[in-house]
Amino acid sequence: MSLRDYQRKRDFTKTSEPRADAAKNNASRAIFVVQLHHASSRHFDFRLQVGDTLKSWAVPKGPSFDPSVKRLAVEVEDHPIAYADFQGDIAEGYGKGHVDQFDKGVWSTQGDPEAQLQKGHLEFELFGQRLKGRWHLIRSGRKERQPSWFLVKAKDAFAADIDADDLLDATMKASTLKAAKTTMSKAAAKKSVAKKKAVPKPKAAARSTLAKFAAALPGAIRSPPNADFFKPQLTKLREHPPTGSEWIHEVKWDGYRILTTIADGKVHLWSRNGLPWNDRLPEIVQAIEALGLSSAHFDGELIALDEKSHSDFNGLQKTLSGDAQKPLAYMLFDLPYFEGTDLTRATLSDRKALLKRVLAHASHPLAFSSHSVGNGEAALAMANKQKLEGIVSKRANSGYRSGRSDDWLKIKRLESDEFAVVGYTEPKGSRTGFGSLLLARPDPDTARGWIYVGRVGTGFTDTQLGDLTRSLATGGAKKPPMPLAAIDPQLRGALWIKPRVVAEVFYRGIGNHTLLRQTSLKTLRPDKAPADLRDSDRDASATSTPRKTGKKTAAKNPTDAIAITHPDRVVYADEAITKQDVVDYYAKVMDWFLPGVLNRPTSVIRCPEGTAKACFFQKHLIQGLHRVGTAKLKEESGAQAIYIYPENATSIIELVQFGALEFHPWGTTVADADRADRIVFDLDPGPNVFWDRVVAAARLVRKLLAQMGLESLVRTTGGKGLHVLVPLKPSCAWATVRAFAEAFANSLAGAHPLEFVATATKTQRGGKIYVDYLRNGRGATSVASYSLRARTGAPVATPLRWEELGKIKSGAAFTIKTIPIRLAKLRSDPWKALTTIKQDLPAVLKHLAKSRKK
């Protein structure tokens, strides 16, 4: 399903529903929405945001809280995010009827939601006003015209004998009764909207008993409630944990500090700097409200959980920005105020004992941050073994006070790895010889290249300083032999040398530009040579994170860098084409294909189990991708999202390994994302349109563009139609490009109404050619030249010379088997002019405007 299906099925001159390219909602989190739709057949529409669309299912009887009940959910076309706020009447046409919003909230899942959907089982959690807890969507094995699923409630604290109809409010009940007059008796309608029941809630702690316990603690003082932000207690960094039983040790969670105040039962969430966060964390607010407290102050850390239930900071950032749906948890570790009692002078041990009791019946995502008493070295060793960020050591008998003190100490986990020494900086102060060593790791995309990862200037013994000064710090080149991701003032006087020595280095994670943080020398490795690093298995290292270097060099054989799993899996069943055949195709055409997608934000169509089964769009980073670039870009709606883009040939092969068949880039590069460098007109023939008319249409478009002073190129789409592409150099603002493309398409359709249509409505396209100009908005894509299509016969989108267009028989004339033969025979690139044409769209428009005035 896709938004093109959504756009095609609706006539937006008649319906008030949002268009497919409508602005998104303002929520930063991935949302879900359930709508009650009084169409010809009353049903609930269940929608989950995945990426930039709402995956949608029609659930005739609505969700049930009973885990033993399987509710049929029929998959329908994707809907735009803006549809989440739609309510009202749909006029004549597709979906006629009234729509009410039944529930809305955020949702989470562990793992890649698209991959789970493709496999046929999505397990997720809802945080709405009505729908809560864990749920399952399971694909039915029955073959239907539209894919059928089952929506099933998981067995958790919210499971109960309740149906969606039990939770309808008065407005929705009235809509149901009104809609039922024409389809059922009034008595039957009343029966269908049963008495409203409450959503089950987890058991809350006994507030009065706990309040008495808090008031009796030594140091407790009665104090009125306060909903204002309170400044948190902070930690000091130490190299080693303190000793003695007067210290407790907690996990150092890798997330965002969140403070909570409750006054008169109203919950307020605050960031560490005092910014309100209720809107960003509705599930946390709900869980705290379920505790049933009148007043309290909590201190804790917001984290995202990975598959091993470890905190995942990158996953947290992506979830909060709407680019992932990882489960969040609020790890609570202090309680400085509770039910009218100030506990800042009570001991930490007493505060945590009370906190543990308060959370005894709390539901996810609230969790108690447990601790151990004494033996800090063992706690740190455990954190190192489990690859946690570190530990926080706190005095057990201390109070709670804002700011930093020696009562709370953080000890971070040290990681170590081996790197080649590729240079050195000048010494400063009393040091002689050199200041720091410059480090690099092998570049997996080149046979001999290196990637700079940072420098190390501490941890050397006097003997090592002397030996390295004599052996390494003697001469060198001023120009670095590899690109640097950031300008470091310390490198201005650096000298670069050929890798000869391997150093093992401690570091505390990876910082900006994938450079090592807080390095110190562990040891030199005279038993290893830099060449040995290239042979070691380093893909799992934290230093192998996706990079943003924008480097254009490619491996001589990119397939050598990527292990291809299931190479014999059949991808195109009709042609018996395997996954390895697809890999081999892209490797053969890489020199022709790569320039069209290199450093461009790119969506891919993945078919992990072949074209005969489910395929889906992907444009965001997923777990396991290491060789693609990522960039946070603004979309046409104004929202920001993190996109993937191919950095080199290895990026392409890695995406193919993940099942990618089609590549659809933006009309811009990540370096100049605010401006388009091309315009694409997609000529898409409707039913009963013969190919010769499509050819004639492309030639007409070329002629009209030429009359304006714009040169154009043509390619087959690998589908039914043709693309006419207008290169822009210099590039042009998106708003100008979009306005021009829309005006041109509408003018063409207006001048030739029997030949062209500029609206996506399918009912108007019979016997006409749809001029799709929507590929020219910010964030819109069009298929790349030489990209495969996930269609019968494995067709390929193919650039043509205008002179050969008349010889082509269809938009799918070239395939995976014939393209390599065609390229071998070509004497020159059909689109050679793409890099040489210089045409300025604003200048052309200005000239046209002057001509009209004359």
Side-chain angles (χ1 to χ4, degrees):
M1 302 292 180
S2 71
L3 287 181
R4 296 193 71 180
D5 294 322
Y6 171 87
Q7 194 87 354
R8 174 177 56 80
K9 292 181 177 181
R10 289 161 175 80
D11 184 347
F12 291 97
T13 64
K14 297 180 180 179
T15 181
S16 58
E17 297 168 284
R19 295 178 63 91
D21 57 351
K24 294 182 182 178
N25 66 319
N26 294 323
S28 58
R29 299 284 303 282
I31 62 171
F32 82 91
V33 65
V34 180
Q35 292 158 319
L36 180 57
H37 190 176
H38 301 284
S40 57
S41 177
R42 175 185 180 272
H43 62 275
F44 290 79
D45 287 315
F46 182 80
R47 313 190 196 278
L48 296 173
Q49 179 183 350
V50 179
D52 294 334
T53 60
L54 292 172
K55 298 292 183 184
S56 301
W57 294 262
V59 185
K61 295 184 178 180
S64 171
F65 278 84
D66 187 347
S68 66
V69 175
K70 294 181 180 180
R71 284 289 158 83
L72 176 66
V74 179
E75 186 176 350
V76 297
E77 72 275 9
D78 293 349
H79 282 52
I81 303 297
Y83 208 96
D85 296 320
F86 176 74
Q87 295 189 87
D89 293 316
I90 300 174
E92 293 293 334
Y94 181 78
K96 177 185 177 182
H98 183 77
V99 175
D100 288 310
Q101 188 176 98
F102 174 76
D103 200 10
K104 184 180 178 183
V106 299
W107 74 285
S108 68
T109 184
Q110 191 59 268
D112 179 5
E114 290 179 328
Q116 292 182 68
L117 288 170
Q118 196 276 330
K119 290 181 179 179
H121 184 186
L122 175 66
E123 184 174 0
F124 56 98
E125 188 163 6
L126 300 179
F127 303 94
Q129 295 300 316
R130 292 184 170 93
L131 301 184
K132 303 174 185 289
R134 292 183 294 109
W135 300 73
H136 299 269
L137 268 169
I138 304 169
R139 188 161 52 221
S140 166
R142 296 182 298 182
K143 291 186 178 181
E144 304 283 353
R145 185 173 61 88
Q146 291 176 282
S148 296
W149 298 67
F150 292 110
L151 179 64
V152 185
K153 183 73 183 75
K155 294 180 180 179
D156 60 14
F158 297 101
D161 183 16
I162 294 176
D163 285 341
D165 280 340
D166 296 328
L167 305 177
L168 297 181
D169 60 24
T171 300
M172 285 181 278
K173 286 182 179 180
S175 295
T176 296
L177 289 169
K178 182 179 179 181
K181 290 181 179 179
T182 58
T183 57
M184 64 177 80
S185 69
K186 191 170 183 179
K190 288 183 177 180
K191 185 178 180 181
S192 72
V193 286
K195 183 179 180 181
K196 183 176 180 180
K197 300 181 182 179
V199 178
K201 295 182 178 180
K203 183 179 179 181
R207 192 177 76 184
S208 58
T209 301
L210 295 177
K212 292 178 181 178
F213 179 87
L217 292 176
I221 301 174
R222 296 296 295 174
S223 177
N226 188 343
D228 296 337
F229 165 75
F230 63 93
K231 292 184 178 180
Q233 183 157 349
L234 304 175
T235 61
K236 288 187 176 181
L237 180 64
R238 291 289 185 270
E239 291 291 331
H240 304 285
T243 59
S245 59
E246 68 272 22
W247 292 89
I248 68 171
H249 309 281
E250 303 170 345
V251 168
K252 186 181 187 307
W253 303 106
D254 194 7
Y256 288 149
R257 189 79 169 269
I258 295 294
L259 307 165
T260 300
T261 60
I262 308 174
D264 298 325
K266 187 171 180 59
V267 175
H268 303 271
L269 301 184
W270 308 92
S271 71
R272 173 175 164 168
N273 298 323
L275 299 176
W277 268 51
N278 281 43
D279 291 342
R280 303 189 70 179
L281 302 171
E283 69 269 52
I284 306 296
V285 174
Q286 289 179 12
I288 295 174
E289 288 174 341
L291 295 175
L293 302 177
S294 175
S295 61
H297 290 176
F298 291 107
D299 193 354
E301 190 91 354
L302 178 73
I303 64 172
L305 299 174
D306 63 14
E307 287 74 8
K308 297 181 180 179
S309 294
H310 292 169
S311 54
D312 178 358
F313 187 74
N314 288 334
L316 175 62
Q317 290 183 312
K318 290 178 181 178
T319 298
L320 292 177
S321 66
D323 294 316
Q325 292 85 34
K326 286 187 175 293
L328 301 184
Y330 187 20
M331 306 302 301
L332 294 164
F333 47 69
D334 216 324
L335 184 61
Y337 181 90
F338 185 75
E339 295 294 3
T341 301
D342 182 346
L343 300 174
T344 56
R345 294 175 179 80
T347 68
L348 175 61
S349 295
D350 286 343
R351 296 198 306 273
K352 292 206 69 172
L354 173 61
L355 176 61
K356 188 173 183 179
R357 293 180 63 180
V358 171
L359 298 176
H361 299 291
S363 65
H364 174 77
L366 302 184
F368 176 70
S369 182
S370 59
H371 60 268
S372 60
V373 179
N375 202 352
E377 291 292 346
L380 183 59
M382 179 276 297
N384 287 336
K385 183 177 181 180
Q386 297 189 18
K387 296 188 179 300
L388 303 176
E389 192 186 6
I391 62 172
V392 177
S393 301
K394 302 176 181 179
R395 293 187 192 274
N397 62 354
S398 64
Y400 187 96
R401 53 179 174 173
S402 302
R404 300 190 190 278
S405 73
D406 291 325
D407 290 338
W408 286 20
L409 308 175
K410 60 182 177 183
I411 302 90
K412 292 187 176 182
R413 172 174 64 93
L414 280 176
E415 298 179 83
S416 69
D417 208 340
E418 297 166 353
F419 305 95
V421 177
V422 294
Y424 59 94
T425 62
E426 297 177 344
K428 291 186 178 181
S430 60
R431 176 176 284 191
T432 60
F434 65 90
S436 60
L437 298 181
L438 307 181
L439 307 172
R441 61 179 175 84
D443 185 345
D445 297 331
T446 61
R448 297 182 180 179
W450 296 88
I451 295 174
Y452 177 70
V453 297
R455 50 194 172 86
V456 57
T458 62
F460 298 93
T461 65
D462 291 340
T463 300
Q464 288 171 329
L465 283 171
D467 290 344
L468 291 170
T469 298
R470 290 187 294 272
S471 62
L472 288 181
T474 55
K478 292 185 178 180
K479 184 178 180 180
M482 75 282 288
L484 302 180
I487 298 175
D488 184 348
Q490 298 293 328
L491 300 182
R492 287 174 182 167
L495 292 174
W496 301 85
I497 60 177
K498 292 182 179 181
R500 300 197 303 271
V501 172
V502 174
E504 188 170 358
V505 174
F506 287 118
Y507 61 95
R508 297 185 187 276
I510 307 297
N512 292 334
H513 306 291
T514 66
L515 299 181
L516 305 176
R517 295 174 53 204
Q518 301 180 30
T519 55
S520 63
L521 182 71
K522 180 178 180 181
T523 186
L524 296 173
R525 297 298 302 267
D527 58 322
K528 289 191 174 184
D532 296 329
L533 303 181
R534 201 171 293 279
D535 298 329
S536 62
D537 182 13
R538 300 165 60 83
D539 284 349
S541 168
T543 60
S544 296
T545 54
R547 306 180 304 285
K548 302 179 184 178
T549 61
K551 184 175 52 179
K552 294 185 179 181
T553 57
K556 290 183 179 180
N557 188 354
T559 59
D560 292 343
I562 304 296
I564 305 300
T565 60
H566 309 293
D568 297 328
R569 175 175 290 159
V570 175
V571 177
Y572 292 91
D574 56 315
E575 298 286 339
I577 295 171
T578 66
K579 183 178 181 181
Q580 187 63 56
D581 292 331
V582 174
V583 172
D584 293 342
Y585 166 78
Y586 277 109
K588 289 177 183 177
V589 304
M590 190 65 71
D591 290 342
W592 299 82
F593 168 74
L594 189 59
V597 296
L598 187 67
N599 296 326
R600 292 180 182 272
T602 300
S603 299
V604 296
I605 292 183
R606 292 171 55 201
C607 306
E609 296 187 36
T611 58
K613 295 189 178 180
C615 299
F616 48 86
F617 266 99
Q618 179 197 322
K619 55 188 175 184
H620 304 302
L621 190 69
I622 61 172
Q623 186 175 1
L625 284 176
H626 299 295
R627 306 299 178 85
V628 298
T630 59
K632 191 168 187 178
L633 302 173
K634 185 186 294 184
E635 299 173 318
E636 193 169 37
S637 65
Q640 287 192 323
I642 297 176
Y643 285 85
I644 60 173
Y645 64 89
E647 290 186 307
N648 44 47
T650 306
S651 300
I652 301 300
I653 300 303
E654 183 181 50
L655 288 166
V656 173
Q657 154 60 16
F658 273 70
L661 293 181
E662 298 189 16
F663 292 80
H664 295 253
W666 285 26
T668 187
T669 63
V670 293
D672 191 21
D674 293 332
R675 301 170 65 83
D677 63 5
R678 59 191 56 185
I679 305 170
V680 177
F681 293 104
D682 181 4
L683 304 180
D684 187 5
N688 302 317
V689 174
F690 294 108
W691 176 248
D692 58 348
R693 287 179 58 193
V694 183
V695 171
R699 289 171 173 164
L700 176 61
V701 170
R702 181 195 187 192
K703 178 181 178 181
L704 295 175
L705 290 169
Q707 290 173 355
M708 298 179 183
L710 292 170
E711 294 185 53
S712 59
L713 305 170
V714 66
R715 72 178 164 211
T716 66
T717 63
K720 296 183 298 180
L722 291 169
H723 281 173
V724 177
L725 183 142
V726 181
L728 299 178
K729 192 174 183 179
S731 55
C732 180
W734 281 110
T736 303
V737 168
R738 168 64 184 262
F740 171 78
E742 182 175 4
F744 183 90
N746 287 331
S747 297
L748 185 63
H752 305 275
L754 299 180
E755 285 293 320
F756 300 102
V757 62
T759 59
T761 307
K762 192 171 183 179
T763 56
Q764 298 182 21
R765 292 171 57 186
K768 299 180 183 180
I769 297 172
Y770 170 42
V771 186
D772 186 354
Y773 62 85
L774 295 175
R775 302 183 180 282
N776 300 290
R778 187 188 182 104
T781 65
S782 57
V783 69
S785 296
Y786 302 107
S787 170
L788 287 169
R789 303 306 300 268
R791 302 180 182 187
T792 300
V796 174
T798 308
L800 305 171
R801 297 189 305 273
W802 279 107
E803 295 75 18
E804 63 181 328
L805 180 57
K807 302 176 184 179
I808 305 304
K809 302 302 181 184
S810 75
F814 298 99
T815 70
I816 189 174
K817 295 178 180 179
T818 61
I819 278 292
I821 299 172
R822 168 179 167 81
L823 296 180
K825 293 180 179 180
L826 285 177
R827 295 182 179 180
S828 63
D829 185 353
W831 275 20
K832 184 178 180 180
L834 180 63
T835 59
T836 60
I837 292 176
K838 293 183 179 180
Q839 46 195 18
D840 186 341
L841 182 60
V844 169
L845 296 177
K846 186 176 181 180
H847 176 73
L848 290 173
K850 288 183 178 179
S851 299
R852 293 192 188 98
K853 289 181 180 179
K854 293 179 181 179

